[in-house]
Amino acid sequence: MSSNKGEFDMSDLGASLPAAAAALSAEDRAGLVNALKDKLQSLAGQHSDILETLSPTVRNRVDVLREMQSQHDELEKKFFEERAALEAKYQKLYEPLYTKRYEIVNGVTEVEGVQVESAVDQGGNATKEKGVPDFWLTAMKTHEVLSEEISERDEGALKYLKDIKWYRIDEPKGFKLEFFFDANPYFKNSVLTKTYHMIDDDEPILEKAIGTEIEWYPGKSLTQKILKKKPRKGSKNSKPITKTEDCESFFNFFNPPEIPDTDEGFDEETAEELQGQMEQDYDIGSTIRDKIIPHAVSWFTGEAVQDEFEDIEDDDDDVDENEDEDEEDEDEEDDDDDDEDDEEEEEEDKGRKKPSTGAKKSVKAQGAEGGERPPECKQQ
């Protein structure tokens, strides 16, 4: 934190944000890393001071514990290596299933024993209904996190979504999402991608996120709205005044937040807002990777919602059981206290006084604050 109240410099930003999901230049990124190193060295110096205060006997014990920690870290390193290899192995085993799912959803192949039925289009003409219409749109809208990102205007474009894939990347570490679209009247791209670069692949520490630049057809952008105002009376310019504004859309996902390119510090409010945006962006990406892609049909049918609800109920039951146990323990403590009080009264009657003790437990509730969202685009 800088000396000025409310100011937030780059070193503090690097320490408090999730490694900054932003497209920094190489020079800025190096400066951020150096600032973090300085802080780590400072903390290491403090730890050295702590060790110096220990007696030789305690210091020997701590040295043994540190050696045990080193052994643990080596095992943990092997665990992460084997886990990555195991994930890669099963990703290959999943692939044929994902390919078959793509073919069924998009009507490339038909399920055995199913007769193709005719559907009636808006013009009243009979058409053959292929695949599973709106499969990915419905699956994503069923998930609470993603449904909040999809506006009514987005649905028209997302109906053309044919498939979503993801895979790990090694240099730099991270993962990449790919969204495959049919030809549509909204944008030229057939594939939209979102790439997350991680500082540590084993823990979700984000360095930056990169999205595809969408090539919108004229007047079809879903991330902006065009406002037209009539010129004032008497104005020389008779043409309507047009103004473009950003608006809420799922497709903003492909334009991730960036840290402003500035040498000056950030005020705390700006830093917190940026942090919230980056955390939300990563939450969307990881939800698509971990929830939607592997369990798409369960989200399409809504079964995944019920499964998650049951998991939450199980967690609540565990909490209730723990609370019941705590209440029973408190009741037993109260009974013990009553017995002690009775004994004290008896001892007082004999002229002897005995001190009594009591304990109180307090529970604090924490609330969650939600950030403001950009205005939703209205149909123009």
Side-chain angles (χ1 to χ4, degrees), residues 98-151:
Y98 292 156
T99 300
K100 186 68 173 178
R101 178 177 68 186
Y102 168 86
E103 293 174 348
I104 293 173
V105 166
N106 294 283
V108 177
T109 60
E110 190 52 85
V111 177
E112 186 178 351
V114 173
Q115 292 183 349
V116 180
E117 298 180 358
S118 297
V120 178
D121 61 17
Q122 293 180 351
N125 301 316
T127 60
K128 289 185 178 181
E129 192 173 37
K130 293 184 178 181
V132 184
D134 306 341
F135 178 79
W136 290 102
L137 169 61
T138 304
M140 291 196 296
K141 282 185 63 181
T142 306
H143 194 283
E144 182 181 8
V145 170
L146 300 180
S147 64
E148 294 179 356
E149 304 301 319
I150 299 173
S151 71

Side-chain angles (χ1 to χ4, degrees), residues 18-19 24 100 114 151 160 174 199 271 276 306 313 324 334 366:
L24 291 174
K100 186 68 173 178
V114 173
S151 71
Y160 293 91
I199 286 181
Q306 182 62 30
E313 281 192 325
D324 291 340
D334 290 339
Q366 296 180 343

Side-chain angles (χ1 to χ4, degrees), residues 4 20 38 51 74 82 104 131 161 192 214 220 222 224 248-249 251 310 313 315 324 326 329 340 362 375-376:
N4 296 330
D38 291 341
L51 292 175
E74 286 297 320
E82 292 181 13
I104 293 173
L161 182 56
L192 300 180
I214 303 177
K220 293 294 185 178
L222 298 172
Q224 293 181 329
E248 183 180 331
S249 169
F251 291 93
E310 291 175 355
E313 281 192 325
D315 292 339
D324 291 340
D326 291 340
D329 292 340
E340 290 178 1
S362 64
E376 183 175 353

Side-chain angles (χ1 to χ4, degrees), residues 193-218:
T193 65
K194 182 67 172 288
T195 305
Y196 290 92
H197 291 175
M198 317 299 290
I199 286 181
D200 188 341
D201 194 32
D202 298 322
E203 296 184 16
I205 302 176
L206 196 58
E207 180 184 10
K208 65 178 179 179
I210 304 173
T212 299
E213 181 177 352
I214 303 177
E215 301 177 63
W216 298 104
Y217 288 117

Side-chain angles (χ1 to χ4, degrees), residues 32 39-41 59 65 68 77 90 151 172 182-183 186 202 209 215 221 230 275 286 305 312 361 369:
L32 184 59
K39 287 203 169 188
L40 290 174
Q41 289 173 355
R59 175 66 181 267
L65 293 175
M68 291 169 58
K77 181 180 178 182
Y90 277 89
S151 71
D182 254 331
Y186 295 91
D202 298 322
E215 301 177 63
S221 175
K230 293 182 179 180
Q275 179 178 2
S286 59
V305 177
I312 293 173
K361 295 182 179 180
E369 297 180 357

